[in-house]
Amino acid sequence: MTLHLGFELPKKETPQLDADAEEFTPEEIRIVKQQIRSNSRVIYGLLMRIDLFVNREKYPHEAVFIEKIRRQLFLLMEENDTFRRVLVRHITAGGTY
């Protein structure tokens, strides 16, 4: 194990985000991918919740709380589709993946 003094440690590089650049920075690509994965997990959880209530517990399809879950689900699905379109547009334009 090597011990270092505080002034010997390398400085951390801050992630670069550039709103004016046409191509995404690696940090921006990481953020978009992370958001897609996060939304996918939440979408899966909402689908399982709807499945539980409607198919197993036999709640009516028009129940108010199920409609709230559906609205949230559709919003997340649209957001995920938008993130995927942005990422695909970046990749097809010659950007890095």
Side-chain angles (χ1 to χ4, degrees):
M1 181 167 99
T2 306
L3 296 175
H4 293 281
L5 299 175
F7 60 86
E8 294 178 332
L9 294 175
K11 295 190 188 243
K12 282 190 172 183
E13 292 184 25
T14 57
Q16 296 297 321
L17 302 176
D18 188 5
D20 298 328
E22 288 188 25
E23 289 193 12
F24 289 151
T25 64
E27 181 64 16
E28 291 168 334
I29 293 172
R30 187 194 64 76
I31 290 170
V32 170
K33 286 180 181 180
Q34 180 182 10
Q35 191 61 45
I36 290 171
R37 286 186 201 108
S38 173
N39 283 355
S40 296
R41 283 190 296 271
V42 175
I43 288 169
Y44 180 77
L46 291 175
L47 285 173
M48 291 298 105
R49 190 179 302 170
I50 289 175
D51 176 56
L52 172 71
F53 289 136
V54 173
N55 296 330
R56 297 182 191 158
E57 298 291 329
K58 305 296 184 193
Y59 279 94
H61 293 275
E62 310 85 33
V64 175
F65 72 97
I66 293 176
E67 288 301 320
K68 287 181 184 178
I69 295 171
R70 281 193 181 119
R71 277 195 303 263
Q72 186 180 7
L73 176 67
F74 290 137
L75 179 66
L76 284 170
M77 289 169 59
E78 286 179 16
E79 183 179 287
N80 236 16
D81 289 343
T82 303
F83 284 132
R84 285 189 173 115
R85 270 189 247 118
V86 167
L87 191 58
V88 166
R89 191 176 314 131
H90 169 74
I91 292 168
T92 57
T96 58
Y97 186 61

